[in-house]
């Protein structure tokens, strides 16, 4: 039960912010550490429940084996696809260089 | 006849008989929005031209004797979380402030096919995360009953639009109470259908295993009408239920004699507002007069529902919102400023002799992502993304997400057991009536705790309905929640409809309406 | 065999693009080579609100492949989100399989007919079904310029096949890849085109060193950017030597540092460390709530197993046992693919001479197929026609060298053996005229007769050439036989 009963540290929050690709100011990081700590402390109450033999429920519906047939359907035109892009050149999306990431 | 006060069911009749044209009716509602919405701010965008064009087309069809759909000409408002092709779909977020999707949500396709006239998109908490419609990038919606108070959330705009007669029907979405709580705060009927009953294709995801689209209206009859149109199997949604859609409207009048109503006594424990308790108990007494019997039931794990909900919803949200990174659509940070910022940071690190730090500095792509997301998302969304990311990160999966899924099973089992004994479970929707704007914005946990009666239905996937059943002394709406086993929406609508036959709470309108 | 002071330990991860018409989770076409961003829809571009629905054929093809790899098919399988940020991954996560893959615990047998290594079973840890990412393009010369993103490939179905670290040399790794590719082609589940990215290989490699005090392992390195099987071999050879040198220099052991990723540079033939941030391996997997699990019944498994058909390993044995061809020949034939085996079997059955069929196929047909870059399906000499030729040779109607002329004619003009023989004016010489031709030759060549009588049987060869000049249709071995017989009678 690693993580339970332990509030978050600022370092934890910094690491999580990087994982979530959020740039937070020092003030935001501090506030986030405090607020997330409160929420984590609250949700840690689940630890008191014994759920050893319980099957997790991912979906209320519990459907299985939903497939689509392998038949092509028209998609979007390139103009439609790229119309919402912040930066594009009529053929491709453009993003800052991916090299070195 | 006051068209604004008429029910959607009445409007369908008036349109069919030719007493009113779709264009005239649409104009009446557009006028109402114009005069009313600067105050209430229920709409994020109004699609006046498209609505009138649609109305004109319907009038022509009708004039030509062509068949028209079930909702032909009825003005409908749609929560800004459902994709409308070529029209803004902002989810109340700066991230999507100028996003116009290249496709229609299945629900939108069905509404169009049924002839509904789409008036515009209603305001909401950012990405449907919130219970007050205060986290919207467009600014808060006000409660038509008391403009100092919140309309609830996240479908606050949807509920306020119906309450203020700016739309006859409206479509919302409910992940943890986002239809029912605003319906309760605004004095309208709101239904969260069974998970899988309504397609999620084109519903911008918050928490995929909990999200469900549903109707809001003044009467249960109207809710039934709208549900019939939007419900049904969709091959584009793997989680959609392949079951026929009953004719909800035709089942409304079956007698309630013998209906077994379950009451969870712990729902009336401390924390529940006294006036709400009184109104809810009175509503249950009305059901007894209608022939129902009342039985105590227990939902022992419901006290863990909020913790379970916030883990599951945040984990799923952290994944669902990863796509907003400025690469393919939506907001992107100013790249020039971003590069300047990076250069400045590098200079400072090099000057201070921190070569390691300079080496570890973000590349332009990572910095683009981080700035874009920091600028595009508001605080509440960031908090939930952070919580979900943390709970899923290495070492914590079992303690949080897996644990929550197991407790979720327990919560579902509780309902299954209770529904062995009773047909519906009745109780409050919210612990308090509409709270003042700004009251809880700085205290996220207190905002979350307000969802205690609603989140269980989402976790268990069962249908639940919010029904006006009183007013507080200060004139704020109070609502009764009815919950039923999966796919028993007809039972909820029948109970709500017959309650409305005995009471007049649903005919009450906020004074805002009377003024204009 | 081992000269190096270490043992190299290799595991391979192979990504196979499955042969479906549409993508894994949407119905966009998977056709290769279309203009950028023209094969996309709301789902594969990750538009808000879009949802995935599993392609039935992709799952079936995966199951078929897994069964051919002797994998177990668990009753319950599901899809997870693997979360990381990259612009060719528009949802911010890849839909893959984490803890409950659709298959596990299989094996693939590899052998080497030249005996470089002993036959062995290479374990398969798992094979799972996931979606591909799109394509990022970057012009390195333009420095800080943008990358361009094409999402046509995004969402293409991939089967990731992960081997146990059972391979002990670059040659074994190559054999594993060749055999796996052959198997996939027999199953017709993928076109296996490496240039088009239908088959991609990553290699995990480290060394085991016998040191005083026990075996020591060097840190595991994952090699990426392997564009051909040849590149895999070279990269493994290079990397094992590099690791050995680093070991000698620094003595770093497995566990001392995290797993490293290196990219293969095909021009310079070196592996190079790729920049790797610590947090990037925290993928935060969780079950994708937009998809539902798949439950497979034992009946369904058997139904798919029945579609697998005869596979290379079984075919090699059958050719040896039923057709009496050598292990080497069986390998050559089977490695050409299912159509080629069918061709061989048809010719061998119709001609009744499998060995001769095998020789003809390997010498004449394979040579021409290779020269012309042609498949056996396109080859102008049909199995029935070749069988006619093999029969004519087997019966002595034709000698081998004339046989090649006939074959050439058949190839050029699409004629049957009989037609080609007629075109070339080949008619069989009757016994009487053959005998008188030989008698004439002996009369004209007394020296040859004398030499043969002295025991130099080889000398008769001179007569065969003369016989062929007199009548090109004579069968050289018959001429030889008759001449020797006549000399013996003298």
């Amino acid at each position: 039960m690693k993580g339970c009963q332990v509030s978050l540290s600022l370092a934890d929050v910094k690491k999580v912010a990087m994982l979530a690709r959020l740039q937070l100011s020092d003030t935001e990081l501090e506030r986030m550490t405090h607020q997330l700590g409160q929420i984590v402390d609250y949700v840690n109450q689940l630890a008191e429940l014994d759920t050893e033999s319980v099957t997790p429920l991912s979906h209320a519906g519990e459907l299985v084996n939903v497939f689509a047939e392998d038949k092509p359907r028209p998609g979007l035109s390139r103009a439609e696809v790229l119309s919402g892009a912040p930066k594009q050149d009529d053929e491709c999306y453009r993003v800052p260089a991916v090299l070195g990431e | 006849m006051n068209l604004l006060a008429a029910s959607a069911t009445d409007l369908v009749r008036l349109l069919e008989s030719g007493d009113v044209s779709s264009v005239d009716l649409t104009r009446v509602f557009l006028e109402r929005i114009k005069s009313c919405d600067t105050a209430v701010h229920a709409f994020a965008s109004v699609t006046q031209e498209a609505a009138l064009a649609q109305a004109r087309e319907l009038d022509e069809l009708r004039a030509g004797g062509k068949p028209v759909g079930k909702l032909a000409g009825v003005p409908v408002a749609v929560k800004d979380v459902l994709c409308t092709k070529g029209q803004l779909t902002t989810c109340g977020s700066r991230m999507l402030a100028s996003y116009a999707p290249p496709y229609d949500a299945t629900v939108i396709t069905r509404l169009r096919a049924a002839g509904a006239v789409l008036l515009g998109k209603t305001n909401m908490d950012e990405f449907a995360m919130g219970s007050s419609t205060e986290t919207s990038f467009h600014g808060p919606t006000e409660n038509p009953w008391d403009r100092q108070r919140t309309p609830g959330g996240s479908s606050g705009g949807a509920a306020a639009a119906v309450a203020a007669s700016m739309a006859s029907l409206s479509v919302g979405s409910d992940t943890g109470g986002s239809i029912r709580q605003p319906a309760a705060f605004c004095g309208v009927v709101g239904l969260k259908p069974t998970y899988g009953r309504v397609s999620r294709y084109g519903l911008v995801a918050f928490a995929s295993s909990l999200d469900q689209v549903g109707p809001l209206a003044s009467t249960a009859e109207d809710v039934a009408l709208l549900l019939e149109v939007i419900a049904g199997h969709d091959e584009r949604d793997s989680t959609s239920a392949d079951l026929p859609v009953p004719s909800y409207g035709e089942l409304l009048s079956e007698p309630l004699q013998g209906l077994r109503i379950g009451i969870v006594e712990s729902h009336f424990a401390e924390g529940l507002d006294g006036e709400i308790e009184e109104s809810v108990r009175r509503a249950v007494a009305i059901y007894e007069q209608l022939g129902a019997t009342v039985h105590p039931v227990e939902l022992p794990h419901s006290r863990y529902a909020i913790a379970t909900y916030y883990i599951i919803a945040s984990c799923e949200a952290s994944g669902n919102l990863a796509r907003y990174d400025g690469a393919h659509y939506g907001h992107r940070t100013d790249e020039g400023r971003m590069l300047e910022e990076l250069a400045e940071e590098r200079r400072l690190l090099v000057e201070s002799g921190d070569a390691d730090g300079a080496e570890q500095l973000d590349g332009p792509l990572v910095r683009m992502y981080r700035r874009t997301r920091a600028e595009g998302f508001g605080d509440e969304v960031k908090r939930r993304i952070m919580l979900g990311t943390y709970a899923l990160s290495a070492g914590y999966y079992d303690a949080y997400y897996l644990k929550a899924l197991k407790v979720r099973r327990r919560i579902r089992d509780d309902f299954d057991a209770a529904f062995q004994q009773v047909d519906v479970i009745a109780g409050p929707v919210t612990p308090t009536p509409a709270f003042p704007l700004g009251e809880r914005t700085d205290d996220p946990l207190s905002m979350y705790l307000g969802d205690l009666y609603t989140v269980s239905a989402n976790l268990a996937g069962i249908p639940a309905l919010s029904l006006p059943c009183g007013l507080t002394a200060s004139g704020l709406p109070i609502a009764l929640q009815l919950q039923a086993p999966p796919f028993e929406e007809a039972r909820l609508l029948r109970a709500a409809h017959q309650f409305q036959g005995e009471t007049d709470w649903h005919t009450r309108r906020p004074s805002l309406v009377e003024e204009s | 065999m081992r000269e190096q002071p270490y043992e190299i330990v290799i595991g391979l991860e192979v990504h196979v693009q499955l042969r479906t018409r549409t993508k894994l989770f949407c119905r966009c076409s998977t056709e290769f080579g279309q203009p950028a961003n023209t094969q996309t829809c709301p789902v594969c571009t990750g538009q808000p609100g879009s949802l995935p629905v599993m392609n039935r054929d992709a799952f079936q093809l995966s199951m078929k492949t897994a069964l051919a790899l002797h994998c177990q098919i668990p009753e319950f399988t599901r899809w997870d989100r693997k979360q990381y940020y990259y612009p060719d991954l528009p949802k911010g996560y890849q839909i893959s399989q984490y803890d409950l893959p659709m298959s596990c615990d299989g094996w693939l047998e590899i052998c080497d007919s030249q005996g470089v290594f002993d036959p062995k079973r290479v374990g398969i840890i798992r094979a799972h079904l996931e979606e591909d990412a799109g394509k990022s393009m970057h012009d390195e010369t333009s420095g800080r310029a943008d990358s361009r993103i094409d999402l046509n490939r995004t969402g293409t179905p991939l089967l990731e096949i992960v081997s146990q670290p059972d391979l002990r040399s670059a040659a074994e790794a190559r054999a594993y890849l060749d055999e796996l590719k052959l198997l996939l082609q027999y199953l017709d589940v993928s076109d296996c085109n490496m240039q088009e990215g239908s088959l991609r290989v990553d290699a995990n490699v480290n060394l085991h060193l016998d040191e005083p005090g026990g075996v020591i392992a060097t840190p595991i390195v994952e090699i990426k950017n392997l564009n051909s099987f040849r590149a895999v071999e070279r990269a493994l050879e290079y990397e094992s030597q590099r690791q050995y040198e680093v070991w000698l220099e620094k003595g770093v052991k497995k566990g001392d540092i995290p797993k490293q990723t290196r990219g293969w540079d095909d021009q310079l033939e070196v592996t190079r460390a790729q920049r790797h941030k610590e947090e990037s391996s925290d993928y935060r997997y969780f079950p994708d709530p937009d998809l539902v699990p798949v439950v497979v019944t034992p009946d369904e498994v058997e139904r798919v197993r029945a579609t697998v058909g005869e596979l290379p390993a079984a075919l090699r044995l059958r050719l040896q046992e039923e057709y009496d061809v050598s292990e080497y020949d069986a390998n050559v034939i089977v490695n050409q693919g299912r159509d080629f085996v069918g061709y061989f079997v048809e010719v061998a059955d119709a001609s009744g001479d499998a060995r001769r069929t095998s020789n003809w196929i390997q010498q004449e047909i394979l040579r021409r197929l290779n020269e012309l870059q042609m498949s056996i399906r396109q080859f102008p000499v049909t199995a029935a026609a070749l069988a006619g030729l093999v029969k004519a040779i087997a019966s002595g109607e034709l000698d081998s060298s004339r046989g090649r002329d006939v074959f050439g004619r058949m190839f050029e003009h699409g004629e049957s053996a009989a037609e080609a023989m007629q075109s070339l004016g080949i008619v069989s010489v009757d016994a009487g005229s053959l005998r008188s031709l030989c008698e004439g030759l002996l009369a004209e060549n007394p020296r040859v007769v004398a030499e043969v009588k002295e025991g130099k049987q080889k000398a008769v060869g001179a007569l065969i050439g003369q016989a062929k000049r007199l009548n090109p249709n004579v069968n050289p071995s018959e001429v030889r036989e008759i001449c020797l017989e006549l000399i013996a009678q003298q």
Side-chain angles (χ1 to χ4, degrees), chain C residues 27-181:
Chain C
R27 306 290 77 80
C28 288
S29 166
T30 52
E31 198 183 330
F32 181 80
Q34 297 302 298
N37 293 305
T38 58
Q39 302 199 115
T40 59
C41 74
V43 178
C44 56
T45 57
Q47 298 290 327
S50 64
L51 294 171
V53 183
M54 175 79 60
N55 184 327
R56 183 188 301 277
D57 284 14
F59 187 75
Q60 295 288 318
L61 295 176
S62 301
M63 224 179 10
K64 188 175 170 184
T65 310
L67 286 170
L69 290 168
H70 311 96
C71 285
Q72 305 298 310
I73 308 289
E75 195 189 334
F76 183 94
T77 185
R78 70 164 179 225
W79 279 262
D80 302 283
R81 293 181 179 179
K82 179 181 181 178
Q83 307 191 70
Y84 63 95
Y85 287 88
Y86 208 74
D88 62 14
L89 191 70
K91 297 189 298 302
Y93 55 85
Q94 177 195 27
I95 304 178
S96 181
Q97 299 199 276
Y98 181 53
D99 55 347
L100 296 170
M102 51 87 50
S103 74
C104 56
D105 297 333
W107 50 265
L108 179 65
E109 189 165 88
I110 56 168
C111 53
D112 183 76
S113 50
Q114 282 154 350
V116 175
F117 57 85
D118 293 333
K120 73 191 294 182
R121 278 185 181 184
V122 180
I124 306 289
I125 297 175
R126 59 191 278 162
H128 71 248
L129 181 57
E130 64 183 23
E131 60 175 345
D132 202 352
K135 201 163 109 188
S136 311
M137 292 158 283
H138 195 78
D139 180 5
E140 290 191 45
T141 55
S142 63
R144 276 257 171 268
D146 291 342
S147 288
R148 306 175 73 226
I149 309 297
D150 171 12
L151 298 181
N152 280 352
R153 208 177 64 195
T154 309
T156 300
L158 297 179
L159 187 66
E160 179 176 337
I161 302 168
V162 184
S163 87
Q164 294 280 3
D166 285 348
L167 300 159
R168 291 293 175 271
S169 66
E172 286 187 13
R174 174 64 191 256
Y176 170 82
L177 292 172
D178 284 334
E179 187 66 9
L180 181 60
K181 182 177 172 187

Side-chain angles (χ1 to χ4, degrees), chain C residues 310-383:
Chain C
E310 199 173 14
L311 294 177
L315 264 173
R316 287 190 192 103
L317 277 182
R318 185 156 78 88
L319 293 194
Q320 289 171 58
E321 283 166 7
E322 290 180 20
Y323 291 90
D324 196 29
V325 296
S326 69
E327 185 188 337
Y328 180 88
D329 290 355
N331 253 333
V332 172
I333 293 166
V334 170
N335 290 359
Q336 296 303 311
R338 202 188 278 282
D339 289 342
F340 197 85
V341 173
Y343 187 89
F344 166 79
V345 165
E346 207 180 324
V347 178
D349 287 348
S351 69
D353 191 337
R355 285 213 154 216
R356 209 179 290 269
T357 301
S358 167
N359 289 339
W360 268 90
I361 278 184
Q362 292 189 52
Q363 286 160 19
E364 289 301 315
I365 298 199
L366 267 186
R367 183 174 60 78
R368 286 184 196 252
L369 289 180
N370 286 339
E371 276 170 17
L372 299 165
Q373 289 292 301
M374 194 185 259
S375 82
I376 191 71
R377 271 173 190 265
Q378 304 161 298
F379 197 67
V381 180
T382 65

Side-chain angles (χ1 to χ4, degrees), chain B residues 83 96 99 101-103 195 199-205 208-209 235-239 315-316 318-325 327-329 332 335 339 346 359-366 369 373 388-390 392-394 397 401 405, chain C residues 25-27 37 41-43 45-54 78 80-81 83-93 98-99 144 146-147 149-151 154 275-279 281-292:
Chain B
C83 286
L96 294 178
Y99 177 66
Y103 76 110
Y195 186 80
S199 168
R200 291 188 300 115
Y201 188 77
L203 167 69
V204 178
S208 309
S209 79
E235 58 175 19
R236 286 186 153 91
D237 174 1
S238 306
T239 62
C315 287
E316 293 183 7
S318 72
N320 286 331
L321 272 64
R323 68 191 64 203
Y324 307 107
D325 60 10
H328 307 97
Y329 43 74
R332 181 186 293 186
E335 288 184 58
L339 291 172
R346 182 175 305 278
E359 172 68 17
Q360 286 301 307
L361 200 61
D362 294 343
L365 181 65
V366 167
Y369 288 152
R373 290 166 64 77
T389 305
Y390 170 72
L392 289 174
S393 65
Y397 179 86
Y401 192 67
L405 292 183
Chain C
F25 297 118
C26 64
R27 306 290 77 80
N37 293 305
C41 74
V43 178
T45 57
Q47 298 290 327
S50 64
L51 294 171
V53 183
M54 175 79 60
R78 70 164 179 225
D80 302 283
R81 293 181 179 179
Q83 307 191 70
Y84 63 95
Y85 287 88
Y86 208 74
D88 62 14
L89 191 70
K91 297 189 298 302
Y93 55 85
Y98 181 53
D99 55 347
R144 276 257 171 268
D146 291 342
S147 288
I149 309 297
D150 171 12
L151 298 181
T154 309
R275 192 174 157 197
H276 197 68
K277 284 194 177 168
E278 184 204 339
E279 52 98 11
S281 58
D282 190 347
Y283 292 123
R284 290 158 288 132
Y285 283 100
F286 78 104
D288 191 333
D290 287 332
L291 288 164
V292 302

